Protein backbone atom coordinates (compact mmCIF):
# COMPACT_ATOMS: atom_id res chain seq x y z
CA UNK A 1 0.00 0.00 0.00
CA UNK A 2 1.40 3.38 -1.05
CA UNK A 3 0.85 6.02 1.62
CA UNK A 4 1.96 9.67 1.28
CA UNK A 5 5.13 9.04 3.30
CA UNK A 6 5.42 5.25 3.60
CA UNK A 7 5.03 2.03 1.61
CA UNK A 8 3.44 -0.76 3.65
CA UNK A 9 4.41 -4.28 2.56
CA UNK A 10 2.23 -7.24 3.52
CA UNK A 11 3.46 -10.86 3.78
CA UNK A 12 3.91 -13.15 0.73
CA UNK A 13 0.74 -14.94 -0.39
CA UNK A 14 0.80 -18.11 -2.49
CA UNK A 15 -0.96 -18.04 -5.85
CA UNK A 16 -2.29 -21.54 -6.43
CA UNK A 17 -1.23 -21.96 -10.05
CA UNK A 18 -1.16 -25.53 -11.37
CA UNK A 19 -0.19 -27.06 -14.71
CA UNK A 20 -2.14 -29.42 -16.93
CA UNK A 21 0.11 -32.46 -16.87
CA UNK A 22 2.12 -32.95 -20.04
CA UNK A 23 1.43 -29.42 -21.32
CA UNK A 24 2.61 -25.85 -20.76
CA UNK A 25 -0.92 -24.70 -19.88
CA UNK A 26 -1.20 -23.11 -16.45
CA UNK A 27 -4.37 -22.69 -14.39
CA UNK A 28 -4.93 -20.15 -11.63
CA UNK A 29 -7.02 -21.74 -8.88
CA UNK A 30 -6.93 -19.35 -5.94
CA UNK A 31 -4.74 -18.04 -3.13
CA UNK A 32 -3.47 -19.23 0.24
CA UNK A 33 -1.56 -17.88 3.22
CA UNK A 34 -0.45 -21.35 4.40
CA UNK A 35 2.94 -21.28 2.64
CA UNK A 36 5.99 -19.62 4.17
CA UNK A 37 9.04 -18.86 2.05
CA UNK A 38 12.45 -18.93 3.76
CA UNK A 39 12.93 -15.81 5.92
CA UNK A 40 15.48 -14.29 3.53
CA UNK A 41 13.09 -14.69 0.59
CA UNK A 42 10.22 -13.24 2.59
CA UNK A 43 12.33 -10.18 3.40
CA UNK A 44 13.43 -9.88 -0.23
CA UNK A 45 9.85 -10.09 -1.53
CA UNK A 46 8.66 -7.43 0.89
CA UNK A 47 11.67 -5.28 -0.03
CA UNK A 48 10.77 -5.56 -3.71
CA UNK A 49 7.23 -4.41 -2.92
CA UNK A 50 8.54 -1.39 -1.01
CA UNK A 51 10.87 -0.36 -3.83
CA UNK A 52 8.13 -0.73 -6.44
CA UNK A 53 5.77 1.33 -4.28
CA UNK A 54 8.29 4.14 -3.94
CA UNK A 55 8.74 4.27 -7.73
CA UNK A 56 4.97 4.25 -8.29
CA UNK A 57 4.58 7.19 -5.89
CA UNK A 58 7.57 9.21 -7.15
CA UNK A 59 7.10 8.70 -10.90
CA UNK A 60 3.32 8.40 -11.22
CA UNK A 61 1.80 9.94 -8.09
CA UNK A 62 0.31 6.54 -7.23
CA UNK A 63 -1.56 5.93 -3.98
CA UNK A 64 -3.30 2.83 -2.58
CA UNK A 65 -2.90 -0.90 -2.90
CA UNK A 66 -0.99 -2.87 -5.52
CA UNK A 67 0.50 -6.35 -5.91
CA UNK A 68 3.71 -7.78 -7.35
CA UNK A 69 3.28 -11.29 -8.75
CA UNK A 70 6.17 -13.60 -9.46
CA UNK A 71 7.76 -17.03 -9.25
CA UNK A 72 10.01 -18.45 -6.56
CA UNK A 73 13.00 -19.81 -8.47
CA UNK A 74 16.17 -21.62 -7.46
CA UNK A 75 17.90 -18.22 -7.45
CA UNK A 76 15.21 -16.42 -5.46
CA UNK A 77 12.03 -14.49 -6.20
CA UNK A 78 11.51 -13.45 -9.83
CA UNK A 79 8.85 -10.73 -10.28
CA UNK A 80 6.72 -11.25 -13.40
CA UNK A 81 3.79 -8.85 -13.10
CA UNK A 82 2.77 -5.60 -11.44
CA UNK A 83 -0.91 -5.07 -10.70
CA UNK A 84 -1.61 -1.40 -9.99
CA UNK A 85 -4.76 -2.22 -8.03
CA UNK A 86 -5.93 -4.27 -5.08
CA UNK A 87 -5.16 -7.92 -5.87
CA UNK A 88 -6.44 -11.27 -4.63
CA UNK A 89 -3.39 -11.73 -2.44
CA UNK A 90 -4.23 -8.61 -0.44
CA UNK A 91 -7.73 -9.93 0.14
CA UNK A 92 -6.32 -13.23 1.38
CA UNK A 93 -3.96 -11.48 3.80
CA UNK A 94 -6.78 -9.25 5.08
CA UNK A 95 -8.84 -12.28 6.11
CA UNK A 96 -6.77 -12.30 9.27
CA UNK A 97 -8.22 -8.91 10.21
CA UNK A 98 -11.89 -9.10 9.13
CA UNK A 99 -12.84 -5.96 11.06
CA UNK A 100 -10.44 -3.82 8.98
CA UNK A 101 -12.29 -1.71 6.38
CA UNK A 102 -9.61 -2.29 3.78
CA UNK A 103 -11.64 -1.11 0.80
CA UNK A 104 -12.50 2.16 2.50
CA UNK A 105 -8.87 2.77 3.44
CA UNK A 106 -7.75 2.07 -0.11
CA UNK A 107 -10.37 4.44 -1.54
CA UNK A 108 -9.38 7.16 0.93
CA UNK A 109 -5.75 6.84 -0.14
CA UNK A 110 -6.67 7.05 -3.83
CA UNK A 111 -8.84 10.13 -3.23
CA UNK A 112 -6.14 11.76 -1.08
CA UNK A 113 -8.40 12.03 1.95
CA UNK A 114 -6.47 13.60 4.83
CA UNK A 115 -6.64 10.90 7.53
CA UNK A 116 -4.33 9.81 10.34
CA UNK A 117 -3.49 6.54 8.53
CA UNK A 118 -0.68 5.36 10.83
CA UNK A 119 0.79 3.24 7.99
CA UNK A 120 3.34 1.37 10.08
CA UNK A 121 0.66 0.23 12.53
CA UNK A 122 -1.57 -0.63 9.54
CA UNK A 123 1.24 -2.72 8.05
CA UNK A 124 1.91 -4.55 11.32
CA UNK A 125 -1.80 -5.28 11.78
CA UNK A 126 -2.08 -6.86 8.33
CA UNK A 127 1.17 -8.84 8.58
CA UNK A 128 0.44 -10.18 12.07
CA UNK A 129 -3.16 -11.01 11.15
CA UNK A 130 -2.10 -12.91 8.03
CA UNK A 131 0.62 -14.80 9.91
CA UNK A 132 -1.63 -15.81 12.78
CA UNK A 133 -4.79 -16.65 10.81
CA UNK A 134 -3.94 -18.87 7.83
CA UNK A 135 -6.41 -19.79 5.11
CA UNK A 136 -6.66 -20.90 1.50
CA UNK A 137 -8.95 -22.29 -1.18
CA UNK A 138 -8.50 -23.88 -4.58
CA UNK A 139 -11.35 -23.63 -7.08
CA UNK A 140 -12.12 -24.37 -10.73
CA UNK A 141 -15.01 -23.63 -13.04
CA UNK A 142 -16.40 -26.81 -14.65
CA UNK A 143 -18.98 -27.47 -17.36
CA UNK A 144 -21.03 -29.87 -15.23
CA UNK A 145 -23.63 -28.28 -12.93
CA UNK A 146 -25.15 -30.28 -10.03
CA UNK A 147 -28.84 -30.26 -9.20
CA UNK A 148 -27.83 -29.27 -5.67
CA UNK A 149 -24.60 -28.59 -3.81
CA UNK A 150 -22.46 -31.69 -3.27
CA UNK A 151 -19.96 -31.87 -0.42
CA UNK A 152 -17.47 -34.45 0.82
CA UNK A 153 -14.91 -34.49 3.62
CA UNK A 154 -11.45 -35.71 2.63
CA UNK A 155 -8.22 -36.69 4.33
CA UNK A 156 -4.71 -36.04 3.00
CA UNK A 157 -2.67 -39.19 3.43
CA UNK A 158 1.04 -39.29 2.48
CA UNK A 159 0.68 -37.05 -0.57
CA UNK A 160 -2.66 -38.50 -1.67
CA UNK A 161 -6.26 -37.61 -0.90
CA UNK A 162 -9.14 -39.92 0.02
CA UNK A 163 -12.66 -39.69 1.34
CA UNK A 164 -13.01 -39.34 5.09
CA UNK A 165 -13.84 -42.55 6.94
CA UNK A 166 -16.44 -42.90 9.72
CA UNK A 167 -15.12 -41.37 12.92
CA UNK A 168 -12.34 -39.40 11.18
CA UNK A 169 -11.99 -35.63 11.18
CA UNK A 170 -11.64 -34.29 7.63
CA UNK A 171 -8.54 -32.32 6.63
CA UNK A 172 -10.51 -30.51 3.95
CA UNK A 173 -13.91 -30.30 2.30
CA UNK A 174 -14.39 -30.63 -1.45
CA UNK A 175 -17.55 -29.19 -2.99
CA UNK A 176 -19.26 -29.20 -6.36
CA UNK A 177 -21.80 -26.45 -6.72
CA UNK A 178 -23.53 -24.09 -9.12
CA UNK A 179 -21.25 -21.31 -10.23
CA UNK A 180 -21.65 -18.48 -12.72
CA UNK A 181 -22.33 -19.32 -15.49
CA UNK A 182 -21.37 -23.00 -15.08
CA UNK A 183 -20.46 -25.28 -12.20
CA UNK A 184 -17.60 -24.91 -9.74
CA UNK A 185 -15.47 -27.32 -7.74
CA UNK A 186 -13.56 -26.18 -4.66
CA UNK A 187 -11.08 -27.59 -2.17
CA UNK A 188 -11.20 -25.91 1.26
CA UNK A 189 -8.47 -27.22 3.61
CA UNK A 190 -8.80 -26.78 7.35
CA UNK A 191 -5.75 -24.62 8.25
CA UNK A 192 -5.58 -26.36 11.63
CA UNK A 193 -5.09 -29.74 9.91
CA UNK A 194 -2.50 -28.97 7.23
CA UNK A 195 1.22 -28.29 7.56
CA UNK A 196 1.75 -24.57 8.05
CA UNK A 197 4.66 -23.38 5.94
CA UNK A 198 4.11 -25.83 3.08
CA UNK A 199 2.68 -25.05 -0.34
CA UNK A 200 -1.05 -25.70 -0.49
CA UNK A 201 -0.99 -26.46 -4.24
CA UNK A 202 -0.22 -30.23 -3.95
CA UNK A 203 -3.16 -30.70 -1.57
CA UNK A 204 -5.47 -28.71 -3.83
CA UNK A 205 -4.44 -30.86 -6.82
CA UNK A 206 -5.09 -34.03 -4.79
CA UNK A 207 -8.49 -32.67 -3.78
CA UNK A 208 -9.40 -31.95 -7.41
CA UNK A 209 -8.54 -35.55 -8.28
CA UNK A 210 -10.90 -36.89 -5.62
CA UNK A 211 -13.69 -34.53 -6.73
CA UNK A 212 -13.24 -35.67 -10.32
CA UNK A 213 -13.35 -39.32 -9.26
CA UNK A 214 -16.53 -39.12 -7.19
CA UNK A 215 -18.50 -36.70 -9.41
CA UNK A 216 -17.03 -37.49 -12.85
CA UNK A 217 -16.33 -33.85 -13.69
CA UNK A 218 -14.02 -34.49 -16.62
CA UNK A 219 -11.08 -32.61 -15.10
CA UNK A 220 -7.70 -32.97 -16.78
CA UNK A 221 -4.82 -34.24 -14.65
CA UNK A 222 -3.11 -31.34 -12.89
CA UNK A 223 0.28 -31.08 -11.21
CA UNK A 224 1.68 -28.45 -8.85
CA UNK A 225 4.97 -26.66 -9.33
CA UNK A 226 7.89 -28.59 -7.90
CA UNK A 227 9.36 -27.54 -4.60
CA UNK A 228 12.27 -25.16 -5.03
CA UNK A 229 15.64 -25.93 -3.54
CA UNK A 230 17.82 -22.86 -3.76
CA UNK A 231 21.14 -23.03 -5.55
CA UNK A 232 24.19 -22.33 -3.36
CA UNK A 233 25.36 -18.73 -3.47
Amino acid sequence: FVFPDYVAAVRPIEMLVVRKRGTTELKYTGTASIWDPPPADRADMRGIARRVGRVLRADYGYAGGFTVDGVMTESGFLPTELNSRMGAGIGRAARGVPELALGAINRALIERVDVDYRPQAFEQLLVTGADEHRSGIGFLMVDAVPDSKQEQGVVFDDGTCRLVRPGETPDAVVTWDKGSPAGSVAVRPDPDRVAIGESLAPLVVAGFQVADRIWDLGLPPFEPAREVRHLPA
Side-chain angles (χ1 to χ4, degrees), residues 58-71:
D59 291 0
Y60 302 99
Y62 190 87
F66 70 95
T67 61
V68 179
D69 295 348
V71 179

Side-chain angles (χ1 to χ4, degrees), residues 23-45:
T23 75
T24 57
E25 184 175 345
L26 302 177
K27 196 80 170 176
Y28 168 77
T29 68
T31 60
S33 57
I34 305 294
W35 171 71
D36 285 320
D41 287 321
R42 172 177 166 129
D44 184 46
M45 294 165 80

Side-chain angles (χ1 to χ4, degrees), residues 29-97:
T29 68
T31 60
S33 57
I34 305 294
W35 171 71
D36 285 320
D41 287 321
R42 172 177 166 129
D44 184 46
M45 294 165 80
R46 297 184 71 205
I48 288 170
R50 292 188 200 282
R51 294 196 297 276
V52 169
R54 288 195 287 266
V55 170
L56 286 173
R57 183 177 58 207
D59 291 0
Y60 302 99
Y62 190 87
F66 70 95
T67 61
V68 179
D69 295 348
V71 179
M72 185 58 72
T73 75
E74 290 181 333
S75 301
F77 182 66
L78 175 65
T80 60
E81 181 176 315
L82 168 63
N83 296 300
S84 52
R85 54 171 171 75
M86 292 268 281
I90 291 177
R92 176 62 56 189
R95 286 175 176 265
V97 196

Side-chain angles (χ1 to χ4, degrees), residues 4-188:
D5 57 357
Y6 189 77
V7 177
V10 193
R11 60 150 293 149
I13 297 294
E14 181 180 15
M15 296 177 67
L16 300 172
V17 177
V18 299
R19 178 186 286 113
K20 286 187 179 181
R21 189 175 300 150
T23 75
T24 57
E25 184 175 345
L26 302 177
K27 196 80 170 176
Y28 168 77
T29 68
T31 60
S33 57
I34 305 294
W35 171 71
D36 285 320
D41 287 321
R42 172 177 166 129
D44 184 46
M45 294 165 80
R46 297 184 71 205
I48 288 170
R50 292 188 200 282
R51 294 196 297 276
V52 169
R54 288 195 287 266
V55 170
L56 286 173
R57 183 177 58 207
D59 291 0
Y60 302 99
Y62 190 87
F66 70 95
T67 61
V68 179
D69 295 348
V71 179
M72 185 58 72
T73 75
E74 290 181 333
S75 301
F77 182 66
L78 175 65
T80 60
E81 181 176 315
L82 168 63
N83 296 300
S84 52
R85 54 171 171 75
M86 292 268 281
I90 291 177
R92 176 62 56 189
R95 286 175 176 265
V97 196
E99 68 276 15
L100 184 64
L102 199 60
I105 293 171
N106 187 60
R107 176 56 61 185
L109 283 168
I110 292 170
E111 299 294 340
R112 273 60 174 183
V113 178
D114 186 13
V115 177
D116 181 14
Y117 291 107
R118 303 182 188 181
Q120 291 172 312
F122 168 86
E123 176 184 67
Q124 189 59 47
L125 185 66
L126 275 178
V127 171
T128 301
D131 282 343
E132 293 181 351
H133 302 279
R134 307 301 183 103
S135 65
I137 182 175
F139 62 90
L140 288 170
M141 302 306 295
V142 295
D143 292 333
V145 181
D147 293 330
S148 60
K149 182 178 180 179
Q150 305 294 308
E151 186 173 281
Q152 289 281 354
V154 296
V155 170
F156 300 116
D157 190 0
D158 194 24
T160 64
C161 185
R162 59 172 174 81
L163 295 181
V164 67
R165 294 169 183 156
E168 285 186 319
T169 300
D171 297 328
V173 173
V174 295
T175 59
W176 175 35
D177 202 359
K178 298 177 182 178
S180 177
S184 67
V185 60
V187 182
R188 293 179 173 83

